[in-house]
Amino acid sequence: MIDNINEIINVVDLNWTKDEIIRFLYVKLAPFFERDLSYFLAPEDEQFKIYQNGFKQNGRLVVCQTICEIYQLIYKEFKIDSHIIATNSKSIPHYALIVNGNHGWYYIDPLKDLFANQLGLKTEYFGCIPKYGSVKEEYPFLKSLSDQYIKFIDTKLKLVINNFYMDNFFDILNKEMTNNKAHVFFDVSKNDYISIILGKLRFANNHIINMGKIPGLYERLIFYKFIINKIYKKNEKKVIEPSLIFDKDKYALLLDLNFKTNSLHMTFREKKDNNGKYYLKKIK
């Protein structure tokens, strides 16, 4: 079993309902996992070979099937029935779970909601009716859980505080950062395009990139794309591009800023300090 995961499992109150146990573990276990880069960054033919050979458990490094297997095993400890299902008929299917809750079976997808759970956002794939036609046909009995019901559980179990998901924070941030007054906050001219973009990047570095519990590089790449979408205007987004590279036997996360009109190019690399905090270091 993954280190320290029992600290979460042991919190579960056996007096909780099935739905509450399912939801609590779905959210709170997410920071223990990260997508396995050896699979997700591999070429398609290599991914297919890995799939043909069978996905293997690899600790906290997961793919859709292995994270479902872990959740299924933990749910079984609480006598909660679940089944791993293929959601499509592609050459490499995507796998998710159906679980038997308070009032019947419903669909959950711990991998697709991994980043949302790590940041504290609303989830998209918990108790939804999946869009996949094959799932609807094969499992027509699946129930849908309302947003209000999920929020009730999250509030009761203190998965959200004061009915506040992080979506609310980022929606407010988006309005403040993309209006025509953002330059005032950074104390620069309204027309100083470069200073505004760099000011927003400094703000993200100082106040945003350590939010949540997001350990995996793939999820952190998703996080930076999410941040960029929230704090930059449409024309500003074109300048900044996050990516993963393989450097010195390990992957690294880079942010490239390319100001084409000024022939100015900057690259920042995400690093960790001695306290385990993330920061962006300019490398060129």
Side-chain angles (χ1 to χ4, degrees), residues 144-253:
S144 174
L145 304 184
S146 71
D147 291 343
Q148 292 86 349
Y149 178 60
I150 293 171
K151 193 172 186 179
F152 169 79
I153 294 175
D154 289 350
T155 303
K156 177 182 176 181
L157 301 183
K158 298 183 179 179
L159 299 174
V160 294
I161 306 299
N162 297 326
N163 297 326
F164 185 86
Y165 290 100
M166 288 302 293
D167 305 70
N168 303 90
F169 167 80
F170 282 104
D171 287 345
I172 294 169
L173 183 65
N174 175 255
K175 290 178 182 178
E176 294 296 323
M177 286 289 187
T178 59
N179 64 28
N180 292 323
K181 297 180 181 178
H183 65 285
V184 177
F185 178 79
F186 298 112
D187 195 24
V188 298
S189 166
K190 185 176 182 178
N191 298 319
D192 192 344
Y193 179 66
I194 294 175
S195 293
I196 292 172
I197 289 177
L198 292 177
K200 291 180 179 182
L201 186 61
R202 281 194 301 273
F203 179 85
N205 186 42
N206 293 334
H207 302 290
I208 302 178
I209 66 173
N210 281 288
M211 288 182 170
K213 296 178 181 178
I214 309 170
L217 275 176
Y218 198 99
E219 287 70 43
R220 295 202 65 77
L221 178 65
I222 295 172
F223 188 25
Y224 277 95
K225 290 180 178 180
F226 177 83
I227 293 170
I228 290 166
N229 192 49
K230 291 296 183 180
I231 70 174
Y232 287 105
K233 292 182 178 181
K234 186 176 180 179
N235 62 320
E236 296 169 345
K237 294 175 189 176
K238 299 175 182 178
V239 171
I240 186 166
E241 180 65 33
S243 62
L244 293 177
I245 64 161
F246 195 71
D247 179 45
K248 297 179 181 178
D249 299 323
K250 64 180 181 180
Y251 285 99
L253 196 155

Side-chain angles (χ1 to χ4, degrees), residues 76 95 98 109 167 172 233 237 256:
K76 188 177 180 180
Y95 292 96
I98 58 173
D109 193 330
D167 305 70
I172 294 169
K233 292 182 178 181
K237 294 175 189 176
D256 279 305

Side-chain angles (χ1 to χ4, degrees), residues 132-144:
Y132 311 107
S134 58
V135 175
K136 289 182 180 180
E137 292 173 7
E138 194 165 349
Y139 307 98
F141 51 84
L142 292 178
K143 306 289 184 182
S144 174

